[in-house]
């Protein structure tokens, strides 16, 4: 029996998860300070606390309440969450087409030579991986 994926985080929850992924476990005060710095505007402490409490209920964070100050940590992995969000975005926006996504992303902004080189390497790696898995499938057939 497989475990259900965690719920899709809201924008505010994703912002908090980004703080936790980047800085590691933190108290509400530390998270709130990071959010205020990122936004360059004061974020309400009680707002941050309430969002963290909701995230705890959803299973997006864990809380260590051994000390007086509760310490929160991400309960979901960054890469898995990004993958989930991207899959939903590609399905909803591009009809599930990775090609349409890439064409839009590359066609709507200036792409540096370094980025293009990295994209070429990634595509080469994917081609190698696909050809390897296809030969494995052929051998099993």
């Amino acid at each position: 029996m497989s475990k259900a994926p965690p719920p899709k985080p809201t924008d505010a929850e994703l912002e908090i998860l980004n703080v936790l992924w980047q800085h590691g476990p933190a108290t509400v005060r530390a998270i709130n300070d990071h959010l205020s710095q990122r936004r360059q505007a004061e974020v309400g402490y009680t707002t941050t606390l309430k969002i963290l409490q909701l995230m705890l209920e959803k299973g997006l964070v864990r809380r260590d309440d051994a000390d007086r100050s509760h310490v929160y940590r991400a309960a979901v992995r960054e890469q898995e969450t990004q993958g989930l969000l991207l899959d939903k975005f590609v399905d909803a926006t591009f009809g599930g087409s990775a090609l349409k996504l890439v064409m839009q992303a590359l066609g709507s902004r200036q792409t540096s030579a370094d980025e293009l080189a990295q994209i070429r390497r990634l595509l080469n790696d994917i081609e190698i991986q696909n050809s390897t898995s296809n030969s494995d499938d052929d051998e099993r057939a």
Side-chain angles (χ1 to χ4, degrees):
M1 180 182 233
S2 65
K3 189 169 69 170
K8 177 184 162 195
T10 65
D11 289 346
E13 291 168 345
L14 188 57
E15 193 174 13
I16 289 173
L17 284 170
N18 278 314
V19 169
L20 293 172
W21 290 327
Q22 185 176 10
H23 300 283
T27 63
V28 178
R29 172 63 55 209
I31 294 167
N32 191 69
D33 290 347
H34 285 294
L35 293 175
S36 294
Q37 283 179 332
R38 283 180 179 211
R39 292 184 185 179
Q40 297 181 342
E42 190 63 32
V43 176
Y45 176 89
T46 55
T47 301
T48 302
L49 176 60
K50 183 62 178 172
I51 294 169
L52 281 162
Q53 290 169 339
L54 293 170
M55 292 173 72
L56 183 64
E57 290 175 19
K58 288 180 168 183
L60 295 172
V61 296
R62 290 193 181 96
R63 181 178 67 201
D64 178 2
D65 48 8
D67 294 329
R68 187 168 177 257
S69 295
H70 296 171
V71 175
Y72 289 85
R73 72 183 69 248
V76 292
R77 291 191 176 109
E78 182 176 16
Q79 191 170 6
E80 289 172 5
T81 303
Q82 289 170 341
L84 172 72
L85 293 171
L86 183 60
D87 287 347
K88 288 183 178 192
F89 176 75
V90 171
D91 286 344
T93 310
F94 297 99
S97 171
L99 175 63
K100 288 180 182 178
L101 168 70
V102 171
M103 288 175 57
Q104 181 67 33
L106 294 178
S108 66
R109 60 176 35 154
Q110 186 70 20
T111 308
S112 73
D114 184 51
E115 288 175 321
L116 288 173
Q118 289 179 33
I119 291 167
R120 281 189 188 95
R121 283 193 297 274
L122 175 63
L123 290 173
N124 288 338
D125 291 348
I126 291 170
E127 277 186 333
I128 291 167
Q129 185 179 19
N130 285 346
S131 68
T132 304
S133 67
N134 286 341
S135 0
D136 291 346
D137 291 344
D138 291 344
E139 290 174 9
R140 283 187 224 135

